């Protein structure tokens, strides 16, 4: 069954708006950051990673954002360009803002943390007037993420992008991507997350992220069905609630909870899983696959990324994901 109908005859498959930053991933695995001496540089930021993932899967993509007028900003723009992502709406800051940095600590495959530097960052300086309506008008999908809602003028830029997407019939995806250190209070976060979510067709987040959005509501049992049902009264067609190792559940307006099989992975680190899952899942939905097949594809993409040192560099091609699924299925048959 098809739950979302994507517009046709548009030149772009996918455009995202939001955070562009630098990931500095620890080279010394199984060591605390205090003792880590070397890091490898990658492009980072959840919406950037998802867009890179979609481009690697063969879709035509673009990005809306702002980078610092420095070496790191130029590195980001060049990386997007080399990954065939349209950067005509990646604006260069002129105020002296800097590039956000994320240092990652990999103490063990399951004990990872991120140290963020987000003061005066360029990506939060994007203004509503810098969002190109024609770019969104030519896209089938617009993805927003929660971090870009944290401060003005980026917050208003996201809502302007939402207005353009609604006007031109794009499918809107909300990757909740909640980072508490960028917000003033839980109440502020809940208000703006809820206002944005009302306009979105597909919403993806963890159970904890949805709990944050419900701080003014009564859902003491943290019931997924109650959480999802609220958004079906607005624009939502699919709500995905992620439960970590227990997997994800996709809820639809027919009150069904869709689950898919998971795959084994040789885990190096845990971060990046959500971004690669989102790219794989959205790719599948845009191909007209069932929700179960789309979720399975997203899970396999996530396994590939968490088995690698990087996030953006590790985003797989469609062929790599299909091969991974086939190998896992063969091993499962052999084991049985």
């Amino acid at each position: 069954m098809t739950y979302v109908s994507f517009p046709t005859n548009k030149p772009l498959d996918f455009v995202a708006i939001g955070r562009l930053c630098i990931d500095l991933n620890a080279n010394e695995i199984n060591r605390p950051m205090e003792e880590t001496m070397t890091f490898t540089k990658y492009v980072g930021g959840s919406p950037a990673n998802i867009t890179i993932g979609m481009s690697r899967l063969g879709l035509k993509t673009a990005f809306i954002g702002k980078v610092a007028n420095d070496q790191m900003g130029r590195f980001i723009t060049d990386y997007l360009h080399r990954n065939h992502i349209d950067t005509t709406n990646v604006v260069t800051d002129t105020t002296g803002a800097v590039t956000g940095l994320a240092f990652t600590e990999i103490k063990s495959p399951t004990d990872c943390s991120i140290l963020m530097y987000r003061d005066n960052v360029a990506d939060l300086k994007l203004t509503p007037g810098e969002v190109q309506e024609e770019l969104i008008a030519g896209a089938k999908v617009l993805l927003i993420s929660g971090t870009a809602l944290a401060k003005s003028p980026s917050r208003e830029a996201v809502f302007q992008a939402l207005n353009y997407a609604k006007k031109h019939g794009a499918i809107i995806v909300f990757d909740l991507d909640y980072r508490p250190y960028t917000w003033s209070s839980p109440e502020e976060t809940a208000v703006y997350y809820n206002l944005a979510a009302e306009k979105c067709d597909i919403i993806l987040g963890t159970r904890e992220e949805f709990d944050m959005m419900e701080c003014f509501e009564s859902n003491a049992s943290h019931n997924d069905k109650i959480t999802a049902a609220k958004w079906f009264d607005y624009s939502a067609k699919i709500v995905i609630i992620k439960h970590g190792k227990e997997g994800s559940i996709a809820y639809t307006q027919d009150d069904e909870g869709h689950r898919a099989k998971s795959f084994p992975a040789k885990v190096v680190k845990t971060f990046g899983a959500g971004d690669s899952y989102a790219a794989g899942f959205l790719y599948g939905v845009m191909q007209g696959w069932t929700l179960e097949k789309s979720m399975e594809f997203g899970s396999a993409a996530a396994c590939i990324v968490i088995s690698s040192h990087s996030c953006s560099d590790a985003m797989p091609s469609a062929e790599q994901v299909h091969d991974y699924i086939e190998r896992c299925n063969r091993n499962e048959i052999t084991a049985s």
Side-chain angles (χ1 to χ4, degrees), residues 17-19 118-128 145-159 179-185 188-189 192-193:
I17 183 171
R19 189 166 90 256
R118 296 285 295 159
D119 290 339
N120 192 37
V121 289
D123 61 86
L124 291 176
K125 305 289 185 180
L126 183 71
T127 68
S145 70
T147 311
L149 294 168
K151 303 287 182 186
S152 296
S154 172
R155 175 183 294 161
E156 291 79 9
V158 171
F159 279 101
R179 310 283 175 165
Y181 43 76
T182 57
W183 290 86
S184 300
S185 70
E188 178 195 41
T189 313
Y192 287 106
Y193 265 68

Side-chain angles (χ1 to χ4, degrees), residues 95-134:
T95 69
V98 298
T99 302
L101 301 177
F103 288 86
T104 65
E105 176 183 60
I106 310 174
K107 288 184 180 179
S108 75
T110 56
D111 186 6
C112 302
S113 64
I114 301 175
L115 176 62
M116 299 285 280
Y117 288 82
R118 296 285 295 159
D119 290 339
N120 192 37
V121 289
D123 61 86
L124 291 176
K125 305 289 185 180
L126 183 71
T127 68
E130 290 169 328
V131 177
Q132 295 178 7
E133 179 176 1
E134 60 269 28

